[in-house]
Structure formats: C-alpha cells, structure tokens
C-alpha cells in the first residue's frame, strides 16, 4: 500500500484534530459536572480526590429536590404534549393551507426564539397579575409552551417542506378522506420532524429558567429554580448530582422516543 | 365498470387572469385510451388533476358516467391514478401500498390479501409483497403504482407521465404492457404525456393541447396525417411549414409562398388571404435532378442524417431549408451532402392548417 502524500495526511490530521477539539469543547462541561457530582469534597476541586455517591444520596433524600424534580417532569410532559399538538398543527396549516400572510404568521410563531425568554416571562407575569389568576400550574405550562412551540414548528416545517404532496394526493385518490390521509400518510412521514420538535420542547421546558423564575409559586418550584435557590446559600456536589440526573433524564427521553415512535426518517424516497 | 368522461367548457385560472386551462371540451369514451399531449405548461396536467378532483374547475363541468363530479372530492371519485414518480408510500410495504385503496373501502383482510396477490400477478411482481418501495427499481415501482391503481377496479385510470422516468428500452416495453392491460381490463384511460411518439403509439385518440386550449382531438393517424393547426403540425413529428397567399389560376388553387415557390393545393381552402400548409418529410420523394412530373423543386442536399431504417435529408431549395425523409429499403437512391436533387410530392399530401 502506498501512503498518501504528506500534505493530504497532514490535512486529514488537522481535520480530525479540529473535530476532536469540537467534541471535547462540547462535552467538557458535562465531564466537569460528573466530576463535581462524584467528588466527595463539598466544594469544586480538581483533581478529584475520590468517588462517592453522597451527593446523589443527599439529592434523592431531599424532599425539596424530589418535589421539584417531579414537578419539573410534570410540567415538561404537559408542555411537550401541548407544544407538539399546537406546533405540528400550526406547521401543517402554514405549509399546506393557502393562508394569507403565512410568512408573517411563521415569523410570529418563531418570534419567541428571538425574544429573550426573560422578557416573555415578565410579560406573562404581568398579564397574569392583570388578569388576577395567581400563579397556577397551567400558567407555567403555558409559558413553557410558548417558548417551545417555535422548535416544533421549525422541525415540522422542515420535514413538510421536503414532503411530496403527491403522496397525500395518492391517498385521497385511493379513497382516503382528509383525516385518514393525515394519519395514514402525512403524520407517519413527518413523524421524525414532529418527534424531534417534541424532544426539543421537553428539554426546553425541563431546563427552563427565565420563564419559570417569574411564574412559579413559592414553595412549588421547578428543579432549575430550586437549584438556583439552593446555590444562593450552598455550593456543594448536590448541584452536580442534580445536573447529572437532569442530563440522564434528557438522554432517556430521547432514547425512549427513538425506541418507541422512532426519530428516523424515510429519507430514501 | 368503465365510464365515459365529459368535460364541458372547463376553465381553470389560479389568479383570475392567466388561464391554465381555457374553455376545454372533451368527450372521452368508455374504454378508450385517451392521451393529453402537449408541451409543458399547456394545461394537460391541470386537466388531469381536475378529472382526479385535486383541482376544482373555475368554470365548466366534468361528468363521469353521466354524473356531474365537478364538486365531488377526490377520495369519492373512484378513479385510479398513476403519478409521475409513482408516489408510492415509502413507509409501507409493496403489499400495503397495493392494498391501501381496498382498506380505505373497508374490505376485509383476507379479501385484500387475495386481491393484492392478483394485482401483483398482473404486473408480474408476485412475491414482492413485503419489500419496501425504496428497495425496488424504477420499473418495478412503476408496476407497483399501476397495481395499486387498478386493484380498486377504478371507473377511470389516470396516468400523469407515468413512463417519463424510465429509460428508453424499459419505456417501450412498459408502453406495450400498459396498452395490453388497458385493453384486457377495458379501462377508460386518460394518459398525460409530452412525448408525441408515446401518444401516437398508445392512444385510441389524442387531444393536443397548447396554452390551455385544445388544438385538435383525433386518432393518432388523423393527428399526424391531417393536423388541424399550425401548432399540431409543428409539434407532432417533423414537418415542412409554408405560409403564403392563395391565388387561383384557371381551375387550380395555388399557394404563392414567394416568387420562387408556389404550391398547388388539391382542395379549395375555405378562406381567402394568408394561409399555412404542412408537408411531411416522408411525403417528399427525392430523385436525381431532371424531368420531374407534377409538383416539385430542385435543391441541394445540405446534410444526410442516416437513421438506420430511413435517411433524413436537409435540403436547400427555393431559398429555404426543407426536410425530406426516404426509407432505406433499397428502392430509393441515397444521396450525399452536396448532391443536387429533385423534390416531388403530390398535392393531396399538402395539409391546409388553421393558425
């Protein structure tokens, strides 16, 4: 085997090194969190002095953290369902319906992405105060849903954009009405986009801080808010343990959705 | 049960001004292989989509089997359709694709399975039930699309350039098979194509469309031998077009093209004033120059394009370029570029055209 010329090998090496660098850059914070969570000392220390489960035990034993974790999960699940239903339907209407001003509507649907979430939170907070509804759970879910919808709209629009509408016509031609066409053809084929949006919605809600900051009621807080409040007084490995649990949960959601409903696309056609 | 289709004064406009389909009338007979032929943008696909129910006519009516279906939604029309690029459901197996229409009709599973097997047998794809469309070749996908359309025993089979994506050899064999299947099942078939050879080879009748209007409806030989308009003569096959003034000398009618060329007409044109006529290249007989009987011209062969079964000549004559085609069957002298030739034809081969 003849070896490739030096310049080519050098080029490949640089390319590989660059990619490794990017991956390390992306994963380093996660690695630090893991080290922080497993290190037994009650402050951030490098190099770590050992491995212990004490922070995890503390996290899982804490009633405040557990309540917050379950509440966060509840809000995230409700947000995911609401944002997915609304976002996927909106994307379909924008892509298919001959809506007047569909470009403007798309821009409005995506605007929460451009607006600082803290402003959205503040606006919702003031609206709730004006309406005198207090700080109900549905209010929090609504806030999370508003900032999650753009993700679902985007990912669903992306698959709808590449969708061959003749497939829907073929279904109609074969006797399927509008609803059946949607469930037999459109939804199965756009599912990867819808599900990718759902995953984003879950993670956006589960990690949501600025919106929740305004909308949670004291004593009934989501995990990021509880962590923030904890951080104000303590900085120990419990924070790391909570972060690890959050990361693992997020990964489980992605893997779970992939296994059950599938995120793969039928890209071959 | 096949059905006739009556299209009456159908117009389709999307913005209120440009007419994609403009006052089209067509009476498609039961069991007929009917082609819509024309260049892209001529309105043929829009017409087909209105028959299928994917578009609603802006004006006019469409009736199938005598019943007005103009406002019946596509899924209630009971028509089979083979799409360009087939539109097979990629997430379903071949068997599920073919059985889709039957399932929508609420047929029970055992019956569907039997009908799917029969339909796949008809397109020679037995044993492919469990494959995915993505695993099949273009020709096989084409057959699945056809099986999916005929298994519902449609009243009408619509085809939107179904053979366009196949290579030439495969296309020809599919043309043959499609025609056979249509005849065997007695299907009324509406076939959209921009390929005039395909339309001529397969159709019982052809509607030639241009700019949203029907130029001519007729059998392939009528369309080819007696084109009604300048567009049809030019679009279908090669042709020599002439334009001039009609003058009468004695008992005969002559088209005076210019000072070098006057063409005798066998029939009296109904109109006076400027007129276009067509002459097919194969109606011109080439001989060595000399005495020529009847209509004719002298010319020089500019190029000789050998096509196997025939030779297509470009000839410079009377200050213009003419096409002449001679069969390569031994009874005609073959000429090289640069040769002087005489061109002859009979006046009855001159076809009078409408503009």
């Amino acid at each position: 085997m003849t070896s490739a010329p030096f310049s080519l090998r050098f080029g490949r090496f640089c390319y590989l090194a660059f990619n490794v660098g990017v991956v390390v850059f992306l994963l380093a914070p996660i690695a630090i969190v893991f080290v922080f969570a497993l290190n037994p000392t009650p402050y951030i220390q490098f190099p770590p002095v050992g491995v212990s489960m004490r922070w995890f035990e503390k996290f899982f034993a804490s009633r405040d953290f557990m309540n917050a974790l379950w509440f966060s999960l509840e809000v995230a699940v409700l947000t995911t369902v609401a944002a997915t239903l609304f976002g996927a339907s909106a994307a379909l209407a924008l892509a298919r319906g001959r809506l007047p001003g569909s470009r403007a509507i798309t821009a409005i649907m995506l605007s929460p992405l451009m607006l600082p979430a803290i402003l959205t939170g503040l606006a919702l907070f003031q609206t709730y105060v004006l309406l005198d509804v207090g700080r109900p759970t549905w209010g929090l879910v609504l806030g999370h849903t508003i900032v999650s919808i753009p993700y679902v709209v985007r990912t669903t629009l992306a698959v709808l954009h590449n969708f061959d509408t003749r497939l829907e016509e073929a279904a109609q031609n074969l006797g399927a009405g509008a609803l059946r066409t949607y469930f037999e053809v459109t939804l199965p084929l756009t599912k990867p986009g819808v599900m990718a949006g759902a995953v984003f919605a879950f993670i956006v809600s589960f990690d949501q801080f600025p919106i929740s900051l305004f909308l949670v009621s004291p004593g009934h807080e989501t995990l990021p808010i509880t962590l923030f409040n904890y951080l104000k007084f303590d900085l120990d490995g419990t924070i790391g343990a909570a972060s690890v649990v959050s990361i693992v949960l997020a990964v489980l959601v992605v893997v779970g959705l992939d296994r059950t409903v599938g995120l793969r696309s039928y890209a071959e056609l | 049960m096949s059905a006739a289709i009556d299209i009456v004064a159908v117009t389709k406009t999307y913005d209120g001004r440009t007419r994609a389909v403009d006052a089209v009338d067509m009476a498609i007979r039961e069991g007929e292989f009917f082609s819509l032929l024309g260049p892209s943008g001529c309105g043929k696909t829009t017409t087909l989509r209105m028959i299928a129910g994917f578009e609603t006519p802006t004006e006019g009516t469409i009736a199938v089997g005598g019943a007005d279906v103009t406002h019946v939604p596509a899924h209630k029309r009971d028509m089979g359709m083979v799409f360009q690029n087939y539109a097979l459901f990629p997430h379903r197996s071949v068997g599920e694709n073919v059985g889709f229409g039957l399932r929508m009709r609420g047929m029970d599973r055992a019956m569907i399975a039997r009908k799917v097997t029969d339909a796949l047998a008809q397109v020679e794809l037995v044993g492919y039930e469990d494959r995915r469309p993505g695993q099949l070749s273009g020709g096989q996908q084409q057959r699945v699309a056809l099986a999916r359309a005929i298994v519902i025993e449609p009243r009408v089979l619509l085809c939107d350039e179904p053979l366009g994506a196949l290579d030439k050899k495969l296309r020809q064999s599919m043309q043959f098979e499609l025609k056979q299947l249509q005849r065997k099942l007695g299907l009324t078939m509406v076939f959209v194509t921009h390929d005039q050879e395909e339309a001529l080879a397969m159709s019982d009748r052809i509607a030639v469309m241009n700019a949203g209007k029907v130029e001519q409806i007729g059998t392939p030989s009528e369309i080819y031998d007696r084109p009604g308009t300048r567009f049809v003569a030019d679009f279908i096959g090669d042709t020599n077009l002439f334009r001039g003034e009609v003058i009468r000398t004695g008992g005969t009618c002559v088209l005076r093209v210019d000072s070098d060329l006057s063409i005798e007409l066998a029939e009296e044109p109904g109109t006076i004033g400027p007129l276009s006529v067509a002459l097919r290249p194969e109606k011109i007989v080439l001989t060595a120059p000399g005495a020529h009987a009847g209509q004719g011209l002298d010319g020089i062969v500019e190029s000789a394009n050998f096509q196997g079964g025939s030779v297509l000549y470009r000839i410079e004559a009377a200050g213009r370029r003419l096409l002449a085609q001679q069969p390569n069957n031994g009874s005609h002298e073959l000429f090289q570029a640069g040769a002087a030739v005489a061109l002859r034809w009979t006046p009855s081969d001159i076809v009078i055209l409408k503009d």
Side-chain angles (χ1 to χ4, degrees):
Chain A
M1 211 176 90
T2 55
S3 58
F6 173 75
S7 63
L8 190 63
R9 275 183 293 147
F10 182 70
R12 273 191 199 144
F13 171 78
C14 287
Y15 181 66
L16 197 70
F18 177 73
N19 281 293
V20 168
V22 168
V23 170
V24 167
F25 178 71
L26 290 175
L27 292 182
I30 297 176
I32 289 169
V33 163
F34 270 81
V35 169
F36 186 29
L38 292 169
N39 193 22
T41 56
Y43 43 86
I44 300 175
Q45 188 185 31
F46 199 85
V49 293
V51 173
S52 93
M53 285 288 136
R54 61 181 286 206
W55 305 121
F56 285 92
E57 281 158 21
K58 188 175 174 193
F59 175 72
F60 283 110
S62 155
R63 176 185 273 240
D64 285 350
F65 276 130
M66 282 304 101
N67 285 342
L69 177 63
W70 284 113
F71 186 54
S72 272
L73 280 174
E74 183 192 331
V75 170
V77 167
L78 290 173
T79 298
T80 304
V81 172
T84 306
L85 283 177
F86 190 83
S89 325
L92 189 70
L94 289 169
R96 287 302 144 70
R98 288 168 193 149
L99 292 178
S102 65
R103 272 168 177 272
I105 298 172
T106 309
I108 291 167
M109 296 290 263
L110 299 180
S111 64
L113 276 184
M114 288 156 243
L115 214 62
I118 199 149
L119 287 185
T120 311
L122 180 63
L124 278 166
F125 171 69
Q126 286 177 328
T127 309
Y128 293 170
V129 168
L130 280 175
L131 295 174
D132 197 21
V133 291
R135 294 179 179 185
T137 302
W138 64 258
L140 184 61
V141 171
L142 185 66
H144 284 196
T145 303
I146 286 171
V147 289
S148 302
I149 281 172
Y151 295 93
V152 184
V153 170
R154 272 229 87 112
T155 54
T156 309
L157 271 182
V159 285
L160 281 172
H161 192 69
N162 295 318
F163 188 88
D164 184 357
T165 51
R166 278 176 300 193
L167 292 172
E168 289 168 352
E169 290 178 351
Q172 285 166 22
N173 174 257
L174 290 164
L179 215 56
R180 275 203 105 166
T181 300
Y182 181 75
F183 284 106
E184 295 274 357
V185 176
T186 317
L187 184 60
L189 289 174
T190 52
K191 205 173 59 182
V194 176
M195 283 305 142
V199 168
F200 275 120
F202 181 88
I203 291 168
V204 165
S205 169
F206 194 68
D207 290 345
Q208 187 54 244
F209 182 74
I211 302 261
S212 303
L213 191 62
F214 286 101
L215 301 181
V216 293
S217 53
H220 198 43
E221 289 145 349
T222 58
L223 188 58
I225 303 293
T226 308
L227 285 174
F228 179 70
N229 289 337
Y230 186 82
L231 263 175
K232 285 195 276 194
F233 306 104
D234 296 283
L235 181 64
D236 65 22
T238 318
I239 299 293
S243 305
V244 168
V245 170
S246 297
I247 292 166
V248 169
L249 270 173
V251 170
L252 282 179
V253 166
V254 174
V255 172
L257 278 173
D258 187 32
R259 284 288 158 81
T260 50
V261 286
L263 294 174
R264 286 170 300 265
S265 68
Y266 296 91
E268 68 264 30
L269 262 179
Chain B
M1 261 299 291
S2 282
I5 304 170
D6 292 296
I7 298 172
V8 182
V10 163
T11 293
K12 178 70 186 180
T13 165
Y14 291 100
D15 56 4
R17 277 174 291 125
T18 39
R19 291 164 170 247
V21 173
D22 192 357
V24 160
D25 288 294
M26 285 177 200
I28 300 165
R29 296 170 196 145
E30 193 183 311
E32 181 174 45
F33 195 122
F34 192 90
S35 290
L36 302 177
L37 174 65
S40 61
C42 73
K44 57 188 193 297
T45 298
T46 307
T47 304
L48 189 81
R49 291 173 57 79
M50 286 192 286
I51 299 174
F54 301 139
E55 310 270 1
T56 311
T58 314
E59 288 162 33
T61 58
I62 296 172
V64 177
D68 187 343
V69 298
T70 314
H71 297 285
V72 174
H75 69 278
K76 289 184 179 155
R77 290 205 183 186
D78 219 9
M79 293 177 175
M81 181 147 172
V82 180
F83 289 79
Q84 203 176 9
N85 301 78
Y86 326 128
L88 297 176
F89 306 128
H91 59 306
R92 305 239 183 240
S93 70
V94 167
E96 287 168 336
N97 263 279
V98 177
F100 190 89
L102 301 174
R103 195 155 60 78
M104 292 305 119
R105 282 161 178 72
M107 196 175 277
D108 68 78
R109 293 178 67 169
M111 188 74 163
I112 292 176
R114 201 162 68 236
K115 291 210 171 220
V116 166
T117 310
D118 287 350
L120 286 175
Q122 258 176 336
V123 295
E124 289 164 34
L125 278 177
V126 178
Y128 280 74
E129 281 88 341
D130 296 328
R131 305 267 188 107
R132 293 270 167 166
Q135 297 170 300
L136 304 182
S137 71
Q140 288 168 331
Q141 290 184 26
Q142 221 284 309
R143 288 153 190 272
V144 174
L146 187 59
R148 185 176 70 173
I150 60 169
V151 75
I152 58 171
E153 292 166 26
R155 298 191 297 164
V156 174
L157 182 60
L158 308 174
C159 295
D160 185 10
E161 309 229 8
L163 309 177
L166 304 178
D167 64 64
K168 194 173 179 184
K169 265 258 157 64
L170 194 56
R171 193 161 68 225
Q172 281 177 345
S173 81
M174 279 306 297
Q175 283 175 4
F176 183 71
E177 284 181 39
L178 201 57
K179 178 75 190 165
Q180 261 200 328
L181 195 68
Q182 181 263 339
R183 207 174 281 155
K184 194 172 84 182
L185 301 176
L187 278 169
T188 305
M189 194 149 153
V190 185
F191 189 92
V192 163
T193 181
H194 67 270
D195 182 339
Q196 34 126 344
E197 279 176 43
E198 193 167 277
L200 291 172
M202 298 175 79
S203 316
D204 294 320
R205 285 195 305 153
I206 300 169
V208 182
M209 294 185 71
N210 180 38
K213 287 186 175 2
V214 173
E215 292 272 334
Q216 187 177 4
I217 297 179
T219 64
S221 67
E222 281 166 4
I223 296 281
Y224 186 82
D225 290 332
R226 294 279 132 194
T229 65
R230 196 181 162 93
F231 175 82
V232 175
D234 200 25
F235 187 71
I236 312 283
D238 292 322
T239 201
N240 296 298
L241 291 169
F242 303 99
R243 190 167 171 79
E245 290 278 342
V246 179
I247 49 172
R248 285 175 186 79
T249 48
T252 57
C253 207
V254 169
L255 183 78
R256 188 181 147 84
V257 179
D258 56 31
S259 56
D260 292 332
L261 180 61
S262 288
I263 297 168
E264 190 184 321
L265 303 175
E267 52 187 310
E268 180 88 9
T271 56
I272 49 164
L275 184 75
S276 291
V277 298
L279 175 63
R280 292 289 182 196
E282 66 274 15
K283 307 285 187 187
I284 297 176
V285 178
L286 294 182
T287 54
H292 47 68
Q295 281 282 315
L297 281 173
D298 289 320
I300 304 289
V301 173
E302 203 171 77
S303 69
N305 188 351
F306 185 72
Q307 298 180 322
S310 62
V311 185
L312 186 66
Y313 296 97
R314 282 162 183 263
I315 295 162
E316 169 93 39
R320 66 195 66 240
R321 180 186 282 159
L322 299 179
L323 289 172
Q325 192 176 27
Q326 303 289 281
N328 178 24
N329 60 5
S331 63
H332 291 263
E333 192 182 340
L334 300 183
F335 298 94
Q336 302 294 324
V341 289
L343 299 80
R344 283 188 291 121
W345 60 85
T346 48
S348 62
D349 287 329
I350 299 287
V351 181
I352 295 169
L353 305 171
K354 275 188 291 202
D355 282 317

